[in-house]
Structure formats: C-alpha cells, structure tokens
Amino acid sequence: MRKKILVALAAIFSGFIVAGCVHSGTDLYSKNDITSAGRKVSRAPAEYVLENQFEDYNPENLEQFEYNGQTVKCNVPTRTETFNGKTYTKFNVTDTAQLSCPQVKALSTKRPWKVKKLKWDDADEKGFQNFVKKMGESKCNTTDKCFSGPGNILRTEEDMLNTFYTDCADFPYYLRAYYAYKKNLPFSFVREIMRVPFTDAQLNQMKAERAAIVAKSGEAAGVKYDGTVMDLRYSRNGNYPVARSSIPASTPVEYDFGAVAPRIVNMISSGFFRMTSPQPGGLVQPDFYSPKIASGNIVPGTALYKTNGHVAVVYDVTPKGEVLFADAHPDNSITRGRFNPDYGVYGARYGGNFKNFRPLQIVNPTYDSAGNITAGRIYVAADSEIPEYSLEQYNGNAGQGVYKNKISDAKGMGFFDWVKVRLSGGAYKLEPTIEMKNEVDALCLMAKDRVESVQKGIDSGTSRLAHPINLPANIYGTEGAWESYSSPGSDIRLRGKMLSIPDDAKAWIKRYNEKDSFISYKGTNLKADLIASYKAAAVACKITYKNSAGSPVTITLDQLINRAALLSFDPYNCPELRWGATGQEAASCSDDANKKDWYRYQQFLRNITEKDNA
C-alpha cells in the first residue's frame, strides 16, 4: 500500500494545464499558437459573442453526476435569509458544478441584462465604490451570503431567488458585472489570453534546465517542469489578450445575468491579470490598467493581484493609508485582509499589485423602441487615454525602481511604506507595536477563516470517504471535492504569514536603530515591547474546531504555529489531522491505516513554504 501511495505522489508531477499540448521540451515552448480556451490564435477573433445560455453540467437533473472526472453529489446544505420580512431558503454551494444540481437550478429566475447607458460616468464609478465598500465592511463570508445579505446595497427579492458563486480570480469581475447588470450599464471582459513568447535566450536556458532535471530525476520531473513553463497563470513573460466578449455585443443578443455570471467564473483565471499594457500591434486591450498610486485612484473595487496566482478586491483605504481587501476562494468563501509586504514588486510585465478596470464606451449603438441599447461596439480605453495611468508602482516614482516620498529626498524607501505614504497623503508613520498587533490579528483571522473552510469539507462528507488512489496532477488547482475542500495554497499563505512576523519585527528594529524617519516609537526597549505586543494579541486568539465526534477543540495561536507543518491540506483526512493534532487530541480520528499513510507521506508537501505551481 505504501508503495502505491509513493507512486501516486510521483504522479503529481506528471501533468500540466495547457489545452492540446502533447509534446515536451523546447519544441512545445516555442509554439505560441494555443490560447487559454484551447483555440489557435488565428481562429480567435477580437470579439466573441458571449453564449447566453447557462452551462448545465447535469442536463438530466441527476442527484449525482460526473464533472471533470469528479463525482458531484447534490446534497447541498441550505440556510435561510430574511428580506423585507420574508424568509427564503438559500443553498450553500461550494463548487461551480453544484450550480447544476436540480434543486439549485430550480432556485432561479430570469434576469435580463438591459443596457441603457453608453458608458460608466463618475456617478456610476462612485456608486460601484460604495457598493464594494459596504459589502466588504459587512460580515458576509461566502459569495452567496454577500449578495443575498444586507451588505448588498443593491439587494432585491430576485437576489433571494437565485444562487451566487465565485472564486479567487473572477471575484473582481463578478462584482463589476453584477453592478453593471443592476444599473443597466455596459460590461466587457477579456475571454481568451495567450502567453507572451519566450525569447531565444529563454528557450536555450529552458532546454538546458530541462535536460539537467531529466538527467537527475527522470522524465516525470521533466514533465513537471513543462507544466511550470506552460501554465498561463505563471507565465515567464506575462500574457496578452486575444479576444473579448461584451454586453452589448456588436450583434443584437438578449443577455441574462444568470447565464453570464457562471460563464465569467469558468473563463477567468489569475492568468488574465498577468499583464499590464497590450502587446505592440495587439487588437485587444487588457481589462485593467496600472494606476498612479494616490488616494483617489486606489479605491473600493480596485483589484489587487499577487503574482503567485491570487487575486483580491480593495474595499477600503483608511486615513493612515491601510488598504483593506476581500478575496474569494474556490469553496465560495470570502475572507478579508490588509495589503502587506507579501505583495512584492516583480515588474510591469506581470501586472502585479493594484489594477483598475479600464474605461469603456459603446460606439455606434443600436436602440430598441424602449430605449435599450441592443448592439454596439465596445471601445476600451488605451493607456494614453487614461489620465490616472502610470507604471510608477513598478518603476518607482524616482525611476529605476526607487520609491521616494519626495523626489528631492536623498534616500528611497520600501515599496510597502511608499504605498502607505502616498495613500495617506504623507501622514503615514509605522508604529511597530501597533503593526505587530495588526499582523498577529491578521494571522488569527486567517486561522479562523480556515476553521470554516475545513468544516465545509467535513460537513460535505469528504473526510469520511475512501482516499483516492491518486492526488490531482496539480494539488493547487483542479476541480471537484479537492478544489472545493483542500487547502494546500491557503496553508502555504498561513505558514508564510507566521514566518513573516519575526522577519518584520527584525526589520522594524533595524530601521529604528538606523533612525528611519518613518518609524514612530516612543518607548525605551522596542524588542521587549514587540514581544509584549505579540503575546497580548496571541493570547487573545483562540481557534476552535470540531473533531470527528463533533466536539469542540480549542487551541491557542501559539499551538497552531508550533504545529504549522502538521496541518493536513487533504480533504480526505479527519478534522484532527487537518488541524495537526497529536497525542490524545488525535485519538478521536477515525482515519484508516491507508489514510494515515497518505498523511505521513504528504509531509514533504506540508513543509513547502512557497507554492509549487506545476
């Protein structure tokens, strides 16, 4: 059995995500003619008329059906929501495939998308910002609860009669599309992308790298390397847009938000953010532009892209320059956080950090008798037409990657501090003891978000099933139960946050000792005060999960940190192993010997501190 498990673990490295690619090595890398939708670039026109039909994976309305090689069970849990004095039953979907379950499909109404304005004006943009801000400030923790709950200032009865689902990358699009639908505004998005071609030097380098890997570890490791190279979410030179879909289209089509929204979810990945400006001669503009970093430009609705493949949405910027964001996850959950030094600068070609939707307008519109715009060409603004456009977040406001409060300053500063200075209008000061509390509180919030995420997997019954004979080819991105309930990526982020806290403390002490003008500390022993601040915040954090018997188990934040590498990301493990329990705490785990073997042999994956995307 253990040999079988080791073979299955090796299979993780045997596949990669590129439609139609069957070769390996640089012959594959040099080809650049397959888009994210698996089409040849020559067959991808600049505009695709969006299919206005719900993508039903279960047309026979079965209670159990197959989707992308996974079995989807339609025992979707329910809850109730109240609106205008009436109570409604809502479904807690955790995977896009569950939208095709018969009871979920039955909970739906027609939502015709009528467009009445040629473009978004300033009032529309302000309204969108307020919509995102109020939703972000609410306590909603799933997409459906956010859109069905009181935090949605546009909520009407139709929102109680439909189901909402989104995950990481498409969340900014989903918010924008929903607002456009509700306010009768146009909407457009890139639907196909392509990798920026490798240079000859890169091809030669990759050929050498692959040969060395194969010589050392075999062809399976070479195939894993292929997967890293070809995955559009992590492309070496960034991506560029190939085709776009718009509402309205150039030909008359009657759109329904209930059909459009799932299409957006299924088409968009984080690779669609991995770009800044269009390629020379390109026919399609990216959806986002890089804004000048200023308080009026980084606003609720601004997207925040981390180049390791995660996307969030800004919902507030405080007077101190703190950027608060919300992010979505594959299990339909919504979490919140603060912009922090984890968001590094990796160059404009990757399009990281802050991104705003490009302005658009309808050209040559066609109207019906009711004044609705039924057709027209969507024109998307170029960089030169956007006054707020700037590459300073990548290049530095002082040039060559140097960030300064004032250009005349003798010394530069770190990107993170510079952002907070700019967004606070120069009022920002780093108070280390307060920052320490904020960082520990953020870690505690991540741990508590994990409680709910893990519990969803337990409630789904996945942990009681037999373990599959293989892990997904890519444990960080797949479909079905693994995508909905596993946590390898979020666990890496959790461990990263744990590791960053002492690193940050050391950096603050160093800057204080060097008399950094942006450090504000009035005490006499910064190291002792930082430790005290950490302990006070850590003691206040309690994490409570339910074990296999359904009994609550409470651990401290320090306990969680000490067992960080023991936390199982595998949804087929018992809750005790999901929380790294040992000794008496683990005694209630009902996993059989095979599952426990899987847990032991996954230890090397739990030791990883950086996401392996192959």
Side-chain angles (χ1 to χ4, degrees):
M1 179 59 70
R2 293 183 180 182
K3 183 177 180 181
K4 289 182 179 179
I5 292 175
L6 290 172
V7 171
L9 285 169
I12 294 174
F13 310 127
S14 66
F16 53 94
I17 306 171
V18 177
C21 294
V22 294
H23 308 293
S24 62
T26 53
D27 286 344
L28 170 63
Y29 310 152
S30 61
K31 295 180 184 300
N32 200 57
D33 59 350
I34 303 298
T35 74
S36 56
R39 310 180 210 266
K40 287 197 172 185
V41 174
S42 59
R43 297 180 182 176
E47 182 194 52
Y48 266 108
V49 176
L50 191 66
E51 302 91 337
N52 190 38
Q53 182 179 358
F54 174 66
E55 198 166 1
D56 192 352
Y57 307 117
N58 182 25
E60 297 178 2
N61 286 331
L62 303 175
E63 289 297 323
Q64 181 173 306
F65 61 96
E66 296 298 312
Y67 169 71
N68 276 354
Q70 298 283 340
T71 299
V72 179
K73 297 182 179 180
C74 288
N75 54 340
V76 185
T78 62
R79 69 181 195 281
T80 58
E81 293 276 2
T82 302
F83 177 67
N84 284 349
K86 293 177 63 177
T87 300
Y88 300 84
T89 297
K90 297 285 292 178
F91 289 102
N92 295 323
V93 297
T94 55
D95 185 278
T96 184
Q98 290 180 335
L99 296 175
S100 292
C101 286
Q103 72 274 38
V104 179
K105 286 191 291 184
L107 183 70
S108 64
T109 64
K110 293 291 185 182
R111 289 176 281 177
W113 190 330
K114 303 293 185 183
V115 177
K116 297 182 180 296
K117 299 181 70 173
L118 293 174
K119 64 179 182 178
W120 294 53
D121 58 26
D122 288 343
D124 296 318
E125 294 292 353
K126 292 292 186 183
F128 177 63
Q129 293 171 25
N130 187 49
F131 162 70
V132 174
K133 185 174 189 292
K134 295 299 184 183
M135 189 173 286
E137 290 174 340
S138 73
K139 301 297 183 181
C140 63
N141 57 10
T142 72
T143 305
D144 194 69
K145 290 178 182 177
C146 287
F147 284 89
S148 304
N152 179 6
I153 61 175
L154 301 181
R155 182 175 62 154
T156 62
E157 187 179 30
E158 75 170 7
D159 299 309
M160 317 310 293
L161 301 175
N162 290 277
T163 304
F164 299 90
Y165 172 86
T166 180
D167 59 23
C168 167
D170 46 74
F171 188 43
Y173 287 88
Y174 204 95
L175 289 165
R176 188 85 169 175
Y178 176 87
Y179 188 86
Y181 155 67
K182 285 285 189 174
K183 293 294 187 177
N184 304 120
L185 295 165
F187 180 73
S188 182
F189 67 97
V190 171
R191 65 171 289 164
E192 289 189 58
I193 59 175
M194 190 62 252
R195 183 186 72 245
V196 174
F198 300 117
T199 64
D200 289 341
Q202 286 175 326
L203 289 170
N204 290 332
Q205 178 189 3
M206 289 185 292
K207 181 179 180 180
E209 289 174 352
R210 191 182 195 280
I213 289 170
V214 171
K216 180 180 179 180
S217 305
E219 181 60 25
V223 174
K224 177 192 175 186
Y225 179 80
D226 295 340
T228 304
V229 169
M230 296 302 295
D231 194 326
L232 288 168
R233 295 170 298 173
Y234 315 105
S235 50
R236 292 196 177 192
N237 298 328
N239 300 316
Y240 65 91
V242 174
R244 173 176 292 281
S245 287
S246 302
I247 300 170
S250 56
T251 56
V253 177
E254 293 183 357
Y255 286 110
D256 186 315
F257 179 78
V260 171
R263 292 281 181 182
I264 293 172
V265 171
N266 289 335
M267 290 177 186
I268 300 298
S269 75
S270 60
F272 285 66
F273 291 79
R274 203 172 183 82
M275 62 186 80
T276 301
S277 301
Q279 286 289 97
L283 298 178
V284 180
Q285 294 285 348
D287 288 320
F288 300 92
Y289 71 92
S290 171
K292 185 177 179 64
I293 305 302
S295 58
N297 296 336
I298 310 305
V299 294
T302 295
L304 186 55
Y305 169 52
K306 188 182 290 189
T307 55
N308 70 353
H310 191 63
V311 182
V313 179
V314 174
Y315 72 84
D316 199 12
V317 179
T318 73
K320 291 186 176 182
E322 291 182 306
V323 178
L324 309 182
F325 64 76
D327 46 358
H329 306 279
D331 64 356
N332 210 21
S333 63
I334 302 291
T335 57
R336 290 163 179 79
R338 297 170 185 262
F339 179 67
N340 59 66
D342 294 345
Y343 287 82
V345 181
Y346 300 102
R349 64 181 174 178
Y350 298 131
N353 294 321
F354 300 102
K355 307 173 77 73
N356 284 341
F357 278 97
R358 289 177 181 267
L360 55 84
Q361 62 180 333
I362 303 172
V363 179
N364 297 326
T366 300
Y367 294 86
D368 65 13
S369 59
N372 300 307
I373 302 172
T374 58
R377 182 174 66 87
I378 292 286
Y379 178 81
V380 180
D383 296 339
S384 60
E385 298 171 306
I386 304 173
E388 299 81 13
Y389 166 79
S390 172
L391 294 179
E392 65 176 1
Q393 64 174 319
Y394 308 116
N395 301 334
N397 65 322
Q400 298 181 328
V402 178
Y403 301 91
K404 292 184 177 182
N405 182 27
K406 298 177 182 177
I407 299 299
S408 59
D409 289 348
K411 293 179 62 177
M413 63 178 71
F415 173 69
F416 175 69
D417 287 336
W418 177 75
V419 168
K420 297 185 81 169
V421 167
R422 295 294 291 266
L423 297 185
S424 67
Y428 165 69
K429 293 286 184 180
L430 192 153
E431 300 178 53
T433 56
I434 293 177
E435 289 292 332
M436 174 60 77
K437 179 183 184 304
N438 288 343
E439 289 300 291
V440 177
D441 287 347
L443 176 59
C444 184
L445 182 60
M446 290 174 72
K448 291 183 176 180
D449 287 337
R450 189 180 191 275
V451 171
E452 183 156 343
S453 178
V454 169
Q455 191 59 44
K456 285 179 181 178
I458 304 303
D459 292 342
S460 74
T462 303
S463 64
R464 296 188 293 275
L465 300 175
H467 201 286
I469 60 173
N470 289 304
L471 294 184
N474 181 348
I475 62 172
Y476 301 102
T478 183
E479 302 291 344
W482 188 274
E483 177 75 356
S484 296
Y485 306 125
S486 70
S487 57
S490 60
D491 286 356
I492 283 178
R493 292 193 294 273
L494 185 69
R495 293 194 292 273
K497 174 59 71 176
M498 293 173 183
L499 293 170
S500 72
I501 290 175
D503 288 343
D504 288 343
K506 292 175 185 176
W508 298 331
I509 292 172
K510 181 176 184 291
R511 291 174 62 181
Y512 172 71
N513 290 336
E514 293 174 349
K515 296 181 170 48
D516 188 319
S517 61
F518 284 98
I519 297 292
S520 175
Y521 172 67
K522 305 301 182 184
T524 59
N525 190 331
L526 179 54
K527 180 178 179 180
D529 286 345
L530 284 171
I531 292 172
S533 180
Y534 168 84
K535 288 182 176 179
V539 166
C541 179
K542 298 290 189 296
I543 301 107
T544 301
Y545 73 90
K546 291 181 181 179
N547 65 14
S548 296
S551 301
V553 178
T554 299
I555 59 176
T556 66
L557 188 61
D558 280 337
Q559 285 177 305
L560 181 70
I561 292 172
N562 288 334
R563 61 173 71 175
L566 299 178
L567 302 178
S568 172
F569 55 78
D570 191 327
Y572 294 93
N573 281 141
C574 65
E576 290 86 351
L577 294 184
R578 293 298 302 273
W579 288 100
T582 57
Q584 187 58 37
E585 185 185 336
S588 53
C589 175
S590 59
D591 282 3
D592 58 23
N594 181 47
K595 285 189 177 184
K596 289 179 179 177
D597 279 344
W598 271 105
Y599 175 76
R600 281 193 291 272
Y601 283 110
Q602 289 172 7
Q603 185 59 58
F604 78 100
L605 293 170
R606 294 194 295 274
N607 293 338
I608 292 172
T609 57
E610 292 188 9
K611 191 173 177 181
D612 183 348
N613 298 304

